[in-house]
Amino acid sequence: RELTRMAARRQSKAPLGSLSRNENTKDLQGSNKDSKDLIFVSFQIFIDQDTDYCQSLSTWESEGLLSQMNTALIQLCKETTANPQRIKKYGSYPEKSKTGFPECPKNLSESANWSSLRLSGKVRVIGIMDRNIFYVVYLDKNHLFYLAPKKHT
């Protein structure tokens, strides 16, 4: 019965969770950002395992990196696709000579827009940017996904 009353009080006719539900509404800061331009985060294809090259959520939690990731993801969700400040886009999956990771997982595309979210120092969240969604794939605390050339050597 309570759900029926709550549904009757809902003012929007759009389904819960649909993007159109937020159109022409103001965000908490009072601006009229179109929610379709904001970046969303998904863990739908996340590989939650500890290997030589990536770590699990539980490892990041025990090392104090999980709260840092959460803060960065919250900030990322406030950015727009037109001007993402925190995402570095690599393009396709790095060549074998440029990565400390094995080949691209079979269920994912090498030509996808592979990207990283820098947390601090070497710590990165690796994912795929598809339209306005950042799909988290790996946790990379040692910056092994895309090996940067050594500076000043």
Side-chain angles (χ1 to χ4, degrees):
R1 216 184 310 181
E2 181 63 26
L3 288 175
T4 306
R5 273 188 274 165
M6 286 173 47
R9 284 186 286 198
R10 259 187 76 220
Q11 301 205 357
S12 173
K13 300 297 182 210
L16 284 173
S18 72
L19 290 177
S20 61
R21 186 169 181 256
N22 294 325
E23 288 178 359
N24 299 321
T25 61
K26 293 185 177 185
D27 67 14
L28 295 176
Q29 285 75 37
S31 66
N32 283 323
K33 281 186 183 173
D34 187 349
S35 63
K36 287 183 266 186
D37 291 338
L38 291 174
I39 295 174
F40 293 88
V41 175
S42 172
F43 281 82
Q44 183 178 358
I45 56 177
F46 175 59
I47 298 171
D48 190 19
Q49 62 185 15
D50 287 302
T51 67
D52 293 339
Y53 53 90
C54 72
Q55 302 80 44
S56 66
L57 287 170
S58 60
T59 295
W60 272 37
E61 182 176 27
S62 68
E63 294 183 13
L65 297 171
L66 197 57
S67 63
Q68 192 177 357
M69 179 184 78
N70 288 340
T71 301
L73 291 174
I74 289 167
Q75 292 301 314
L76 179 64
C77 291
K78 296 176 183 177
E79 295 183 15
T80 63
T81 55
N83 192 19
Q85 301 294 306
R86 303 186 62 87
I87 292 284
K88 179 169 185 173
K89 296 179 181 178
Y90 298 121
S92 60
Y93 197 86
E95 299 171 17
K96 186 82 174 145
S97 63
K98 295 182 179 180
T99 186
F101 277 59
E103 64 188 32
C104 182
K106 302 269 187 257
N107 62 323
L108 302 174
S109 171
E110 285 186 33
S111 63
N113 194 0
W114 286 86
S115 307
S116 73
L117 173 64
R118 181 181 183 274
L119 303 187
S120 65
K122 294 181 175 183
V123 182
R124 304 287 190 274
V125 175
I126 305 300
I128 295 173
M129 194 72 200
D130 184 22
R131 290 171 289 211
N132 67 326
I133 302 173
F134 180 69
Y135 291 92
V136 176
V137 180
Y138 296 115
L139 303 180
D140 177 13
K141 72 175 182 179
N142 298 311
H143 199 311
L144 296 176
F145 182 75
Y146 195 88
L147 300 173
K150 302 263 188 237
K151 293 180 180 178
H152 310 293
T153 58

